[in-house]
Amino acid sequence: MSITSKQGKANTMNFGAKQEEFNNTFRQMMEQKRAEKQPRLVLGIWGEPKTGKTGIALDFPNRPIYVLDWDSGVESTWITCHDATDRIQVYDPIEVDKDNKIDILKSEENSHNFIRYVRQQMIDNNEKPVFILDGVDTWFDKCIYKVNHNPTTVTKMMPFQYGARNKTFYHLLEAVYNLKCDIIYITHETEKYVDNNPVGIQPAWKDWGGKLEQEIHCSRRNIKGEIHYIAELVGSRTNGNLVGTRWT
């Protein structure tokens, strides 16, 4: 058989019904993306406590906003700055037992139930919400209860035991990411070390920063006796020309 005839046969090859179904789905997806021409917001906001991180996240007028509040601090901002509007729904998933220890299994289940609730709202009501996970670093810290259930005792653990904590942590962040709506992750800042020496600050994402499309750092500065709160766009795949821009 000649090369030309082989190529002709390959051009008419049938890869089956499943492949054809994928092909049609892929074409529809690309047509939809071309029609929308709107990149998704996958924003990370980080900085010191009380520097406006939550305030920025809640300032999306005329948008339904859902907040998974692992920092247990969003409610006060929602009430005082947004008049407890029903457009913003805040959920604190943390549950404690009779000994005041966090029930990590129940708290984790609550978190995923809330994410599924939002997914259902998007389907049933055709909502295009903003979903906020406030307290990424707090969530990571609490995931240690998957390994050490008693926070009052110090337990020596082998490195492999941290796998349960890490899988629990990343699974929730992925579940939020997979909502396919605009999403915001909020965390605090932590010191950055090189050779055990502090060399600056960095967000406490635990290697999650690569998923972000945009990143804002919040800080507080005393300028001539006045306190200024500053938000700086430190990274963006969608508005690269604005990187470095600061807003007071």
Side-chain angles (χ1 to χ4, degrees):
M1 183 180 293
S2 67
I3 294 177
T4 305
S5 60
K6 286 182 179 179
Q7 290 175 339
K9 186 176 181 180
N11 289 338
T12 60
M13 188 175 294
N14 186 345
F15 288 96
K18 285 189 176 181
Q19 182 63 43
E20 188 61 31
E21 181 182 353
F22 170 83
N23 295 349
N24 292 332
T25 302
F26 176 74
R27 294 187 193 102
Q28 292 173 9
M29 179 187 70
M30 291 306 299
E31 288 177 5
Q32 183 177 353
K33 287 184 177 182
R34 283 191 290 268
E36 291 176 351
K37 294 183 181 179
Q38 181 63 43
R40 187 162 68 122
L41 183 76
V42 184
L43 171 63
I45 305 177
W46 59 283
E48 294 180 344
K50 299 177 180 63
T51 51
K53 300 185 298 298
T54 300
I56 291 174
L58 295 182
D59 275 342
F60 281 82
N62 306 318
R63 294 285 300 277
I65 297 175
Y66 297 92
V67 188
L68 181 58
D69 184 15
W70 264 92
D71 254 354
S72 303
V74 177
E75 188 170 302
S76 56
T77 303
W78 167 58
I79 293 172
T80 58
C81 299
H82 296 274
D83 197 28
T85 173
D86 59 3
R87 182 176 56 82
I88 300 174
Q89 299 187 45
V90 181
Y91 180 60
D92 184 338
I94 301 173
E95 292 204 18
V96 297
D97 61 21
K98 58 182 177 60
D99 297 318
N100 204 36
K101 299 174 185 175
I102 289 181
D103 185 337
I104 187 61
L105 293 178
K106 183 59 178 175
S107 301
E108 180 187 13
E109 181 183 13
N110 288 343
S111 298
H112 284 282
N113 284 339
F114 182 63
I115 293 171
R116 283 189 286 269
Y117 167 76
V118 175
R119 186 186 298 278
Q120 195 65 50
Q121 293 295 108
M122 292 170 61
I123 295 172
D124 292 348
N125 302 324
N126 197 30
E127 285 189 359
K128 298 185 182 299
V130 177
F131 189 97
I132 301 168
L133 173 54
D134 199 338
V136 172
D137 51 333
T138 303
W139 164 239
F140 178 79
D141 291 340
K142 301 310 180 187
C143 286
I144 195 63
Y145 291 126
K146 275 291 187 77
V147 185
N148 180 11
H149 304 291
N150 190 346
T152 64
T153 61
V154 178
T155 304
K156 184 177 180 179
M157 294 180 292
M158 299 299 290
F160 72 87
Q161 291 180 286
Y162 290 100
R165 176 198 64 183
N166 295 339
K167 289 179 68 175
T168 299
F169 171 72
Y170 288 115
H171 178 50
L172 183 65
L173 268 63
E174 285 282 0
V176 172
Y177 185 84
N178 289 334
L179 279 172
K180 302 303 182 186
C181 62
D182 289 337
I183 54 179
I184 302 175
Y185 299 94
I186 302 176
T187 194
H188 292 107
E189 65 184 42
T190 185
E191 287 189 321
K192 181 178 181 180
Y193 288 86
V194 174
D195 297 329
N196 294 322
N197 296 311
V199 295
I201 57 173
Q202 63 182 355
W205 300 126
K206 305 300 178 185
D207 299 324
W208 186 253
K211 286 276 192 178
L212 302 174
E213 298 287 339
Q214 307 87 9
E215 190 174 332
I216 289 175
H217 176 234
C218 293
S219 60
R220 179 193 302 106
R221 297 184 185 181
N222 190 320
I223 302 176
K224 296 182 180 180
E226 292 184 344
I227 301 297
H228 291 245
Y229 295 92
I230 298 170
E232 180 181 359
L233 184 68
V234 295
S236 177
R237 294 190 183 116
T238 55
N239 298 94
N241 60 312
L242 293 179
V243 172
T245 303
R246 295 179 179 179
W247 297 270
T248 300

